[in-house]
Amino acid sequence: MGPLFTCSIDDGHPSDMKTAELLHKHGLSGTFFVPIRNCEGDEVLPDAQIREIGRRFEIGSHTYDHRYLKKVDIWQAYHQINDGKKYLEDVLGMPVNGFCYPGGRYLARDVELVRACGFSYARTTMNLCFDAGQRPFEMPTTVQFYPHDRAVYLRNFAGSGNWFRRTTGLQLAMQHGDWMKRLYAMFDHAVRSNGTFHLWGHSKQFDELNAWQQLDAFLAHVARAVSSQNRLTNEELAVRSLWVPGTARAVGPA
């Protein structure tokens, strides 16, 4: 079957247009999780650019205002989850089935709200995984495209559970102090083991790091190793994982 690759980009910053172009350049797929506004003051994509990205990639919801759900009451959480979905569906003219928890900060209550609002799956910030997990509304990732130090991986490992299946990822992260060497080592492990590699990040940070050249080179490396049928959106990965029935555009609430 070969390795699977998916990419998800959070926060809906206007620099997502550049990330989308790089993914398209290398024939890769992915998902852009977009809030309607950002309560932290960052710019967000206007409707026309959301539609433009949506013609090539999956658009998922990231709440209405990029609120950390753990910090708001249940009614605010409901409106953030539900209203963000409905707005994007009006913009795109199609269902929005994927959700991502801002900052990875959420409660068990919020998992149930995401399900109740009609999403098919949700993505977290749990890293170090080489599969799609077993919980449709708590999809893990492999690694963030960012120069974290080793302590960040240790904290994420300790705080996110599922330790047995994440041990190999932690070992690889600890072996490499250079963040790009770490990234390539983790991807190459996914290729050797026919696993899933889930890259995620923020386009605004790519700008701040001036890391576009590194991202371009890494995506070229991915494209050489992953067959076209295994380059997936997050939703397609959920379907491949048998979390939801049918095809990626036909899924409904779980």
Side-chain angles (χ1 to χ4, degrees):
M1 184 176 180
L4 304 178
F5 174 82
T6 192
C7 178
S8 50
I9 305 298
D10 296 357
D11 293 4
H13 190 270
S15 295
D16 282 0
M17 298 295 291
K18 192 168 183 177
T19 304
E21 286 302 318
L22 284 181
L23 287 168
H24 180 69
K25 171 185 174 181
H26 296 291
L28 298 171
S29 194
T31 300
F32 289 78
F33 290 105
V34 180
I36 311 310
R37 296 193 300 246
N38 192 318
C39 63
E40 298 167 342
D42 286 340
E43 292 182 80
V44 294
L45 292 162
D47 293 354
Q49 291 184 339
I50 294 174
R51 283 190 289 268
E52 184 174 346
I53 292 177
R55 284 192 284 270
R56 295 178 177 175
F57 303 96
E58 180 192 5
I59 299 292
S61 181
H62 205 35
T63 72
Y64 195 93
D65 290 312
H66 194 258
R67 297 281 178 184
Y68 290 174
L69 297 176
K70 192 173 184 178
K71 295 185 176 182
V72 301
D73 65 35
I74 188 171
W75 295 109
Q76 289 175 301
Y78 168 76
H79 286 297
Q80 286 293 321
I81 295 165
N82 188 66
D83 295 357
K85 175 178 169 55
K86 298 304 182 187
Y87 187 99
L88 288 175
E89 290 178 336
D90 287 344
V91 168
L92 296 167
M94 66 176 65
V96 170
N97 294 318
F99 181 82
C100 178
Y101 303 97
R105 301 177 186 178
Y106 63 97
L107 303 170
R109 166 205 76 185
D110 304 315
V111 175
E112 295 307 312
L113 287 173
V114 170
R115 186 196 303 269
C117 286
F119 290 97
S120 299
Y121 75 92
R123 202 214 82 203
T124 70
T125 58
M126 179 194 291
N127 60 23
L128 306 174
C129 290
F130 295 99
D131 58 45
Q134 299 175 333
R135 298 178 178 178
F137 295 95
E138 294 179 277
M139 176 189 277
T141 70
T142 308
V143 65
Q144 182 180 357
F145 193 87
Y146 190 81
H148 291 302
D149 60 40
R150 291 183 176 97
V152 172
Y153 294 97
L154 286 169
R155 287 197 299 270
N156 189 284
F157 180 81
S160 299
N162 295 291
W163 300 296
F164 179 77
R165 51 190 274 263
R166 300 170 67 215
T167 299
T168 299
L170 180 65
Q171 290 171 340
L172 288 166
M174 293 298 101
Q175 286 172 11
H176 299 277
D178 180 88
W179 71 288
M180 290 304 299
K181 289 181 180 178
R182 178 188 301 135
L183 185 68
Y184 279 88
M186 295 179 78
F187 175 74
D188 291 345
H189 170 79
V191 171
R192 289 191 303 271
S193 61
N194 285 330
T196 296
F197 190 88
H198 188 151
L199 180 72
W200 73 282
H202 304 89
S203 299
K204 180 185 176 183
Q205 291 178 338
F206 307 161
D207 263 337
E208 293 169 345
L209 294 167
N210 192 25
W212 295 107
Q213 186 175 355
Q214 291 101 313
L215 179 61
D216 189 15
F218 180 71
L219 295 179
H221 182 70
V222 170
R224 287 191 292 267
V226 179
S227 61
S228 58
Q229 67 268 24
N230 289 340
R231 305 170 184 183
L232 309 175
T233 65
N234 283 196
E235 185 179 16
E236 289 166 341
L237 178 60
V239 172
R240 288 281 191 99
S241 303
L242 303 180
W243 288 348
V244 289
T247 62
R249 284 297 175 194
V251 296

